[in-house]
């Protein structure tokens, strides 16, 4: 959990969004922009959670359906869905979510560790839980959201 | 020494040719046996012997000078080219000289392409690879080994690549009667017939990298942005031609590997 917290930086501002019935949040500093859904071009030989690529002002941006990635039923995107464009190291990718809810301000004490009962997939992504006005918001890391590079050679 | 540079199906191909003695295969082979790279009874084709010179620490020079003889040069050349996503090959004829062919990808460039569609997906096929377009007749298509079809073309047979099937857009082969065929030639001169649903015309497209934000996709050379703002993929003709027929199994194995890695992550 500490690595995620370190990257939260000074403000500790998190952007919360909804996927299915769950709420998640990521560091607001990772977010480059938020935009509506546009039809993606399907990529051959991509895992199911990669929806395809869209044109983001001339750059080719892969779109990951976070619901499928986290093992939930996939999103059938409509114009109401939202793509959060995030910066991951040298890459920019789009995360398809249902809706962005709000910006949360959190401090370390508030973030609770994830109990040891969750599935491996959730464990790989969810780094902490935040109680917020009676909601439970999961703090997630997006580092492993894209398929691993090693498979390129396959 | 002769240097040529050509633009071939989305790649820059540089050829460095000399008219010297060619590669002394007997000597390369003997050296490889001495170094323990191959066994004395190994059966190697001429091409395989030529490729031995790329091995690190491989040199046939009897004497090490200030600039050569340590067996570093060709190894470095190959590694640098591979780091750029390129390929290098040798063709050598004793007494007539050797040709080194360096093929490098174009990162940012404009490409003449044919806009086609396959199962509702718009794709670009590099114009440089296309020899001709034709309308196949069902009676000219012959099955060979399960998923591989051959098309009879002016007395010869050319493997058929169903583009939608090969890229995984469709799970069954399209009806040849309803398709348009493009005869393409890969880098090595291998030919194949690409089956698509329709040809929409010719266009210059700007090559956009898929790797920058995603990763390399087998069968796809790069992407581009079309007039309507959507992304279209540029077909890697060489990869598609080489894998003609072998794709079905590769596809499913790869998909499974990807899905598994996704679950494990």
């Amino acid at each position: 959990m500490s690595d995620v917290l370190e990257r939260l930086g000074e403000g500790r501002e998190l952007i919360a969004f909804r996927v299915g019935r769950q709420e998640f949040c990521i560091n607001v500093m990772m977010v480059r922009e938020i935009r509506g859904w546009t039809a993606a071009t399907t990529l051959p030989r991509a895992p199911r959670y990669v929806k395809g690529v869209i044109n983001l002002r001339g750059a080719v941006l892969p779109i990951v359906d976070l619901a499928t990635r986290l093992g939930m039923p996939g999103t059938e995107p409509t114009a109401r869905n939202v793509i959060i464009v995030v910066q991951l190291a040298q890459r920019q990718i789009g995360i398809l979510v249902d809706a962005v809810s709000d910006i949360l301000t959190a401090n370390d004490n508030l973030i609770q560790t994830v109990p040891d009962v969750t599935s491996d997939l959730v464990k790989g992504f969810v780094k902490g839980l935040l109680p917020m006005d009676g909601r439970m918001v999961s703090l997630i890391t997006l580092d492993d959201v894209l398929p691993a590079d090693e498979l390129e050679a396959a | 020494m002769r240097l040529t540079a050509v633009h071939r199906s989305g790649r820059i191909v540089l050829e460095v040719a000399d008219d010297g003695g060619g590669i002394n295969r007997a000597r390369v082979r003997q050296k490889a046996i001495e170094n323990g790279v191959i066994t004395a009874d190994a059966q190697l084709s001429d091409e395989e012997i030529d490729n031995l010179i790329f091995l690190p620490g491989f040199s046939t020079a009897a004497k090490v000078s200030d600039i050569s003889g340590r067996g570093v040069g060709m190894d470095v050349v190959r590694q640098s080219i591979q780091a750029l996503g390129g390929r290098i090959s040798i063709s050598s004829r004793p007494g007539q000289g050797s040709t080194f062919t360096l093929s490098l990808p174009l990162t940012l460039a404009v490409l003449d392409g044919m806009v086609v569609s396959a199962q509702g997906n718009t794709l670009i096929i590099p114009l440089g690879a296309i020899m001709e377009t034709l309308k196949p007749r069902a009676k000219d298509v012959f099955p060979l080994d399960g998923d591989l079809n051959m098309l009879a073309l002016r007395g010869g047979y050319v493997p058929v690549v169903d583009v939608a099937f090969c890229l995984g857009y469709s799970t069954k082969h399209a009806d040849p009667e309803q398709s348009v065929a493009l005869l393409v030639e890969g880098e090595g001169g291998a030919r194949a017939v690409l089956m698509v649903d329709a040809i929409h015309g010719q266009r210059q497209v700007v090559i956009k990298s898929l790797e920058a934000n995603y990763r390399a996709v087998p069968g796809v050379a790069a992407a581009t942005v079309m007039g309507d703002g959507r992304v279209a993929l540029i077909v890697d003709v060489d990869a598609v031609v080489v894998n003609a027929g072998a794709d079905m199994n590769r596809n499913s194995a790869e998909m499974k590997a990807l899905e598994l890695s996704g679950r494990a992550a």
Side-chain angles (χ1 to χ4, degrees):
Chain A
M1 185 165 100
S2 58
D3 55 322
V4 181
L5 290 180
E6 265 165 41
R7 281 190 296 128
L8 288 182
E10 282 308 296
R12 299 281 146 103
E13 285 200 309
L14 304 162
I15 186 164
F17 48 88
R18 207 165 42 74
V19 180
R21 288 172 49 232
Q22 297 186 44
E23 266 197 284
F24 297 96
C25 63
I26 53 172
N27 186 358
V28 84
M29 295 309 285
M30 292 169 71
V31 179
R32 286 284 154 268
E33 70 178 271
I34 295 170
R35 48 170 299 146
W37 166 255
T38 36
T41 302
T42 320
L43 285 173
R45 291 163 195 159
R48 256 183 319 132
Y49 55 82
V50 176
K51 278 276 169 196
V53 285
I54 63 163
N55 162 27
L56 182 76
R57 287 185 297 281
V60 176
L61 188 80
I63 304 296
V64 172
D65 178 2
L66 199 59
T68 317
R69 188 68 178 103
L70 297 176
M72 294 179 237
T75 311
E76 263 320 312
T78 64
R80 301 172 72 93
N81 283 90
V82 175
I83 294 171
I84 304 176
V85 180
V86 295
Q87 185 82 40
L88 296 175
Q90 301 307 309
R91 287 171 166 157
Q92 285 195 356
I93 65 163
I95 306 291
L96 174 66
V97 302
D98 289 343
V100 171
S101 15
D102 51 359
I103 304 278
L104 311 171
T105 312
N107 57 52
D108 295 356
N109 314 337
L110 220 58
I111 300 168
Q112 301 177 9
T113 47
V114 189
D116 210 17
V117 293
T118 44
S119 72
D120 283 347
L121 187 70
V122 170
K123 230 187 262 173
F125 288 99
V126 180
K127 294 298 171 192
L129 300 175
L130 275 132
M132 277 284 159
D133 315 321
R135 294 140 57 194
M136 182 185 80
V137 184
S138 314
L139 175 64
I140 56 169
T141 170
L142 297 174
D143 292 348
D144 298 323
V145 82
L146 275 187
D149 265 337
E150 304 82 84
L151 284 153
E152 229 170 81
Chain B
M1 274 298 240
R2 199 164 46 86
L3 260 177
T4 54
V6 285
H7 178 187
R8 209 181 282 160
S9 65
R11 299 175 81 84
I12 288 178
V13 180
L14 299 168
E15 276 187 1
V16 186
D18 67 26
D19 55 359
I23 292 174
N24 185 342
R25 295 202 175 102
R27 198 146 158 59
V28 170
R29 194 190 151 86
Q30 188 201 337
K31 194 79 191 177
I33 294 168
E34 278 171 31
N35 290 359
V37 180
I38 55 170
T39 55
D41 56 352
Q43 294 289 321
L44 295 182
S45 67
D46 287 352
E47 206 186 327
E48 285 169 326
I49 294 176
D50 291 347
N51 277 311
L52 288 173
I53 68 167
F54 290 118
L55 292 174
F58 195 91
S59 175
T60 55
K63 229 168 65 193
V64 175
S65 73
D66 284 350
I67 49 165
S68 71
R70 288 174 189 83
V72 171
M74 291 311 285
D75 175 38
V76 170
V77 167
R78 185 171 67 169
Q79 281 192 10
S80 313
I81 290 170
Q82 284 179 346
L84 293 169
R87 299 191 268 260
I88 182 164
S89 61
I90 318 172
S91 74
S92 176
R93 285 213 297 234
Q96 295 185 27
S98 315
T99 303
F100 291 83
T101 308
L102 286 70
S103 151
L104 295 167
L106 289 174
T107 42
L108 181 74
V110 173
L111 175 107
D112 277 312
M114 192 71 97
V115 183
V116 302
S117 64
Q119 288 288 316
N121 297 281
T122 305
L123 296 164
I124 312 290
I125 296 175
L127 207 59
I130 302 175
M131 317 291 290
E132 63 178 275
T133 60
L134 48 127
K135 190 91 189 115
R137 288 172 301 181
K139 70 178 177 69
D140 289 338
V141 179
F142 301 98
L144 181 76
D145 188 27
D147 278 314
L148 182 61
N149 284 326
M150 302 298 265
L151 180 78
L153 189 68
R154 287 188 288 278
Y157 296 97
V158 188
V160 173
V161 178
D162 183 339
V163 175
F165 180 79
C166 168
L167 295 181
Y169 292 141
S170 159
T171 48
K172 58 177 203 287
H173 281 294
D175 177 7
E177 290 272 323
Q178 304 296 316
S179 305
V180 185
L182 300 111
L183 179 66
V184 295
E185 192 173 77
E187 227 161 82
R191 288 179 172 206
V193 164
L194 304 186
M195 292 279 199
V196 296
D197 294 342
I199 294 179
H200 301 289
Q202 194 180 322
R203 192 164 307 168
Q204 281 204 325
V205 298
V206 177
I207 299 173
K208 303 269 184 189
S209 162
L210 264 180
E211 280 114 290
N213 284 323
Y214 186 57
R215 58 189 187 124
V217 179
V220 177
T224 190
V225 175
M226 302 300 287
D228 62 1
R230 287 199 61 170
V231 176
L233 302 176
I234 302 171
V235 176
D236 182 350
V237 170
D238 292 315
V240 167
V241 167
V242 168
N243 292 322
D247 259 3
M248 176 72 184
N249 294 327
R250 258 186 51 137
N251 264 355
S252 50
E254 228 166 76
M255 288 292 269
K256 249 178 231 151
L258 284 171
E259 295 263 307
L260 282 176
S261 80
R263 228 164 264 148

